[in-house]
Amino acid sequence: MKKELLNYTQNRELSWLEFNKRVLEEAQDITVPLLERMKFVAIFTSNLDEFFMIRVGSLFDMAHTEAQTVDKRSGMTAIEQLKKIYAAVAPLYKERDKTYADIKRQLNPYGVCGLDFKELDSQDKKYVKKYFKEQVLPVLSPQIVDANHPFPHLLNKEIYVTANLSDKNHKGKVRMGIVPVPQFISDILYLPGEDVRYIRMEKVIMEYLDIVFEQYEVADPNYICVTRNADIAPDDEALEVTDDFRILMKNTLHKRRKMAVVRLEVAEKLSDEMEDFFCEKFQIKPVQIFRTNMPMKLSYIFTISGNLPEPLKKALTYPPFTPQPSAAVEEGSIMRQVRKKDVLLFYPYESMQPFLKLIKEASVDPNVLTIKITIYRLASKARLVEYLCAAAENGKEVTVLIELRARFDEQNNIDWSERLEEAGCRVIYGFENYKVHSKICLITYRNRGDIQYITQVGTGNYNEKTATMYTDLSLMTGDYSIGKDAALFFNNMATGNLDGHYNRLIVSPTSLKQNVLRLMDEEIEKGDKGRIIMKMNSITDVDFIKKVSEASCAGVKVDLLVRGICCILPGVPGYTDNVRVISVVGRFLEHPRIFSFGTGKEQKIYIGSADMMTRNTQKRVEVACPILDDNIKKIINHDLKIMLSDNIKARILQNDGTYRKRELVEPYIDSQAVFMEEMIEASKMAKEKPKKKIGLLSMIKNIFH
């Protein structure tokens, strides 16, 4: 069976690189506004940074400690995977550099110009030199590298300007000079004038190295950036050292700064001597060195749009879109509305405001007894936290299970946990070997002497910023059976019990995968009348992949909407003939997890927080919730139909692991554009005819048809 599996599966890392290639394709799409295209280059770059820090870092460790371990989906060892990754990444660097240069050239006529020093006129050069001497030079920390000055520790993803230095008094003696680009100054220097012209700080420093190292002759100026392994598992540390998990996490973050180098980026071609020098210092091989002609950091691109005058912004960025008030929510008490009927929010097309209003209302409602919530990622400014703190201060029992190991958000979560605790909330951190990734909130209240519940289950984080950028579903329900399960779930979390049994909710690591496979078996029994549609971020779980193949062989039509990694190959004769995999990369990050089994009255739909990845199904606490309201089922079916019909932003996975665009035929459907239009119109109709109580579904049908 293991060998059979290799016939219709592929390596997860190479699949991820194919996903990031689709992000780069958005940067190459001429229908996307120019500055938005540049943002996609920035997203591609930050994605690749994280890939090296986490996935390559993990393989780097495995290559040294578990060299013979073989990837089940590709049959490759860690070393073989690394070789394939380096070979696949090299052409992506060239493609990215070319894409960046092309967009940069097209932005110039609009007065948005990233300049090299040689492109500055004499007045600009005077301005830059004055700024450098007065604002930059005093805060630089240059050093030479020789017997008395050892090579410094280079921080992860920070830029360092380097050069070879010859002593003016001792000809022939050459040493290295190295200058960190300070983290506390801007990445770019804006130049005077009406246009948005700028030069990157590393180029400014590189130009004036002769001032920095005035007693030396400067040659071979360059700038470099190391990427370090950041794949740290706090659970592997000695937990006995403290009974406060926050302290352990702070120590873990400190350790991340010192991990092994997995990649070196350079701006200029290295001489053989310099290549050997860096390989020795960083303990890397030449294949881990990547030269790039574009910035190693591009985060400043996101701030540039804020500096544009309005006409220019209109020409270079997407038309503004504001998440709409939900047409399913009326004025007045949100708690009262959810008690009467379930409410589904679809971010970012609809606003997160009804959920936030629900928590705010609960924080002051005298009948509310407890509010319990699991938190994985939050915005740096979070009204949700303020409402939870207010609830605790108003005498409600507030329990917050906050996951301190949310990668790269650890410090933010540590800070929020301290704020919540200070306000009187009970803060807990989950399990030693399992991340709590669920998105569930429970409000318990007393109604005429009876205990009642309002439960919210989502597919995405309680992050008010990303709720305007990521597509996600958020269900609010007053269903008693779901609320009872949610109450049991929170009790189990607080008492360290991962083995809870639930009637409505399906929860990993104990019942989520098992129930998904069981529901797939029900469709398999129907043969060619079976139907499975699933939407998620990634697929790697081998048991799930085998079951998809089994369903396909039984004649079940399987559609998988998978944004990122997909280790199953569709259309492989005898294995996945009836499987179709579609990936949508567009303006918003596709993020919902939807599991649909069957059709008609027998159809069962769940939404939740889990991808079908081994880490989610076996090493995380995830929650999925059934959709019980028939009207909401119809809305989700409509949404799935639009996503499956997308022929503008969708790519179809081929059985060789590559992706192809669909044939562009009428009707032209960009699913995200359709949803934006639908929600704008539905919200407008709800405002115009509030008393007629037009159903959201009928609104959407009218708009779409």
Side-chain angles (χ1 to χ4, degrees):
M1 186 64 197
K2 283 184 180 179
K3 287 186 178 179
E4 275 192 18
L5 185 70
L6 296 179
N7 290 326
Y8 59 93
T9 54
Q10 64 173 331
N11 178 259
R12 65 168 283 171
E13 320 308 348
L14 299 180
S15 176
W16 184 90
L17 288 171
E18 280 288 331
F19 153 68
N20 211 29
K21 187 177 177 183
R22 296 195 295 284
V23 174
L24 193 58
E25 286 174 2
E26 283 300 294
Q28 298 164 341
D29 186 342
I30 60 171
T31 67
V32 175
L34 275 172
L35 206 53
E36 303 293 350
R37 289 171 61 187
M38 191 64 93
K39 288 178 186 177
F40 277 111
V41 178
I43 293 166
F44 170 92
T45 300
S46 62
N47 284 351
L48 197 61
D49 291 344
E50 187 170 331
F51 175 74
F52 269 89
M53 284 188 273
I54 303 304
R55 296 307 309 165
V56 174
S58 177
L59 288 170
F60 200 75
D61 289 341
M62 285 180 65
H64 289 86
T65 59
E66 304 169 50
Q68 300 311 309
T69 301
V70 172
D71 171 40
K72 294 176 185 176
R73 305 159 201 84
S74 62
M76 291 190 286
T77 65
I79 292 172
E80 289 169 334
Q81 290 179 71
L82 286 170
K83 286 180 181 176
K84 290 272 191 182
I85 288 168
Y86 295 141
V89 167
L92 287 178
Y93 262 85
K94 290 180 181 175
E95 191 70 20
R96 181 190 65 165
D97 284 0
K98 182 183 169 196
T99 304
Y100 170 82
D102 183 49
I103 300 169
K104 183 170 171 278
R105 177 181 52 77
Q106 292 184 60
L107 281 170
N108 284 344
Y110 291 93
V112 179
C113 310
L115 301 172
D116 288 322
F117 203 86
K118 63 186 177 184
E119 297 175 284
L120 305 183
D121 61 27
S122 58
Q123 285 300 111
D124 287 334
K125 287 178 181 177
K126 283 180 184 176
Y127 174 82
V128 172
K129 189 169 188 177
K130 184 174 186 292
Y131 182 88
F132 172 78
K133 284 186 168 183
E134 293 178 358
Q135 302 294 328
V136 180
L137 185 60
V139 298
L140 292 182
S141 301
Q143 80 159 82
I144 59 171
V145 177
D146 61 13
N148 297 314
H149 303 83
F151 190 80
H153 174 81
L154 303 194
L155 296 176
N156 182 45
K157 285 307 299 172
E158 296 300 332
I159 297 173
Y160 295 82
V161 178
T162 66
N164 285 325
L165 307 176
S166 302
D167 196 319
K168 291 177 180 176
N169 299 318
H170 299 85
K171 296 293 182 184
K173 189 173 183 180
V174 178
R175 66 198 79 196
M176 173 183 277
I178 188 161
V179 187
V181 178
Q183 298 176 32
F184 44 82
I185 62 175
S186 175
D187 290 341
I188 57 176
L189 171 61
Y190 286 105
L191 299 168
E194 292 183 6
D195 290 342
V196 182
R197 301 181 309 131
Y198 60 91
I199 185 167
R200 302 202 312 274
M201 197 55 64
E202 61 268 25
K203 293 200 169 189
V204 173
I205 295 171
M206 194 161 69
E207 179 64 27
Y208 295 115
L209 282 176
D210 58 335
I211 298 176
V212 178
F213 297 106
E214 59 183 355
Q215 72 272 41
Y216 297 99
E217 299 275 359
V218 176
D220 307 317
N222 204 341
Y223 54 91
I224 66 173
C225 181
V226 298
T227 307
R228 293 185 179 275
N229 181 356
D231 189 36
I232 292 178
D235 295 326
D236 294 337
E237 307 291 326
L239 285 167
E240 297 80 14
V241 300
T242 176
D243 59 1
D244 189 338
F245 197 63
R246 274 189 301 232
I247 295 173
L248 174 68
M249 282 308 305
K250 287 175 181 176
N251 293 336
T252 297
L253 294 179
H254 181 71
K255 181 178 177 183
R256 180 179 282 167
R257 294 158 63 90
K258 299 183 178 180
M259 297 283 277
V261 173
V262 293
R263 175 182 63 169
L264 172 64
E265 294 175 290
V266 300
E268 304 294 337
K269 190 176 188 309
L270 298 177
S271 65
D272 291 343
E273 292 79 8
M274 285 305 299
E275 184 177 281
D276 290 344
F277 175 81
F278 284 132
C279 284
E280 180 195 349
K281 289 297 177 188
F282 299 132
Q283 294 295 291
I284 58 174
K285 296 176 180 175
V287 73
Q288 291 170 265
I289 301 175
F290 296 91
R291 187 185 172 198
T292 179
N293 293 322
M294 60 159 278
M296 294 167 191
K297 287 183 177 182
L298 260 181
S299 54
Y300 61 82
I301 290 297
F302 294 91
T303 63
I304 283 176
S305 58
N307 292 328
L308 296 179
E310 206 54 45
L312 204 53
K313 187 183 288 188
K314 196 172 182 180
L316 296 177
T317 62
Y318 287 125
F321 176 78
T322 303
Q324 298 296 296
S326 172
V329 176
E330 300 167 20
E331 292 294 324
S333 168
I334 185 73
M335 288 182 68
R336 190 176 297 119
Q337 292 176 62
V338 174
R339 285 175 198 156
K340 291 180 181 177
K341 65 172 184 178
D342 293 356
V343 173
L344 183 75
L345 302 176
F346 191 0
Y347 308 148
Y349 313 109
E350 292 178 297
S351 169
M352 190 185 190
Q353 184 58 30
F355 169 69
L356 295 173
K357 187 179 176 184
L358 176 72
I359 303 302
K360 186 177 183 181
E361 196 177 315
S363 73
V364 296
D365 189 316
N367 295 313
V368 169
L369 307 173
T370 69
I371 302 174
K372 300 180 181 182
I373 191 169
T374 59
I375 289 176
Y376 195 72
R377 296 189 196 277
L378 288 170
S380 55
K381 294 181 181 178
R383 282 179 292 163
L384 174 63
V385 171
E386 299 310 312
Y387 299 155
L388 292 171
C389 291
E393 288 160 359
N394 288 333
K396 317 298 179 191
E397 182 189 297
V398 179
T399 300
V400 181
L401 194 165
I402 190 163
E403 180 52 74
L404 297 185
R405 294 163 295 184
R407 189 171 282 135
F408 303 123
D409 266 350
E410 297 96 340
Q411 188 60 56
N412 193 42
N413 285 2
I414 288 169
D415 296 341
W416 280 127
S417 70
E418 292 170 349
R419 168 77 179 89
L420 287 158
E421 208 164 54
E422 286 167 6
C425 301
R426 179 168 62 142
V427 177
I428 56 179
Y429 304 124
F431 298 85
E432 191 172 310
N433 296 307
Y434 297 84
K435 282 187 180 181
V436 179
H437 190 249
S438 55
K439 285 78 170 123
I440 182 169
C441 178
L442 175 69
I443 297 168
T444 305
Y445 64 97
R446 187 176 277 114
N447 182 30
R448 296 177 183 175
D450 294 330
I451 296 297
Q452 299 290 329
Y453 305 105
I454 290 176
T455 311
Q456 181 273 342
V457 176
T459 65
N461 298 300
Y462 299 108
N463 186 317
E464 294 150 55
K465 183 179 179 182
T466 58
T468 66
M469 300 156 62
Y470 296 2
T471 70
D472 269 308
L473 297 177
S474 174
L475 175 73
M476 295 180 286
T477 177
D479 183 86
Y480 182 79
S481 59
I482 290 175
K484 197 173 177 183
D485 268 5
L488 178 59
F489 170 81
F490 278 105
N491 286 344
N492 287 334
M493 294 301 99
T495 57
N497 178 18
L498 283 171
D499 299 320
H501 296 282
Y502 308 94
N503 294 317
R504 291 290 195 183
L505 301 177
I506 55 177
V507 181
S508 69
T510 51
S511 64
L512 192 143
K513 179 165 77 170
Q514 295 84 333
N515 275 284
V516 167
L517 297 182
R518 176 183 59 78
L519 290 162
M520 293 174 76
D521 281 332
E522 290 179 8
E523 297 309 302
I524 289 169
E525 287 176 12
K526 299 175 188 175
D528 60 7
K529 292 183 173 56
R531 185 76 171 105
I532 296 170
I533 304 174
M534 294 193 186
K535 176 170 172 57
M536 62 197 88
N537 296 333
S538 300
I539 292 175
T540 66
D541 187 277
V542 169
D543 296 327
F544 175 76
I545 289 170
K546 289 176 182 176
K547 190 63 70 175
V548 169
S549 176
E550 188 182 335
S552 174
C553 292
V556 179
K557 187 181 177 187
V558 182
D559 275 327
L560 303 173
L561 287 150
V562 187
R563 184 194 80 225
I565 300 164
C566 185
C567 289
I568 187 166
L569 294 170
V572 177
Y575 296 101
T576 55
D577 306 77
N578 294 305
V579 179
R580 180 173 59 163
V581 178
I582 298 171
S583 172
V584 173
V585 176
R587 173 175 180 172
F588 304 119
L589 183 88
E590 292 289 332
H591 201 246
R593 286 82 167 200
I594 305 171
F595 311 106
S596 170
F597 309 93
T599 57
K601 291 182 179 179
E602 295 181 353
Q603 183 187 21
K604 296 170 184 172
I605 299 178
Y606 286 78
I607 67 167
S609 56
D611 295 314
M612 286 295 109
M613 302 181 76
T614 308
R615 71 179 189 192
N616 298 81
T617 57
Q618 295 178 197
K619 298 300 291 181
R620 288 185 174 186
V621 177
E622 308 272 13
V623 171
C625 178
I627 301 297
L628 304 179
D629 183 283
D630 287 338
N631 197 50
I632 290 179
K633 275 187 182 179
K634 289 174 184 175
I635 290 169
I636 291 176
N637 280 327
H638 164 81
D639 294 345
L640 288 171
K641 180 181 177 182
I642 298 301
M643 293 174 204
L644 290 169
S645 303
D646 193 312
N647 57 7
I648 293 178
K649 294 299 183 182
R651 306 286 189 277
I652 309 296
L653 179 59
Q654 308 300 300
N655 61 14
D656 63 355
T658 61
Y659 285 79
R660 289 184 194 165
K661 282 189 173 185
R662 271 185 160 151
E663 185 182 354
L664 193 58
V665 294
E666 292 188 356
Y668 306 132
I669 297 175
D670 174 342
S671 57
Q672 294 187 355
V674 169
F675 295 141
M676 280 191 280
E677 185 181 345
E678 284 181 348
M679 292 308 174
I680 289 170
E681 290 301 314
S683 181
K684 189 188 299 181
M685 289 170 69
K687 283 179 185 174
E688 290 171 355
K689 303 176 182 178
K691 292 181 181 177
K692 291 194 176 180
K693 296 198 175 182
I694 301 169
L696 178 62
L697 185 67
S698 59
M699 287 184 195
I700 287 174
K701 281 183 177 175
N702 289 336
I703 296 159
F704 188 65
H705 292 298

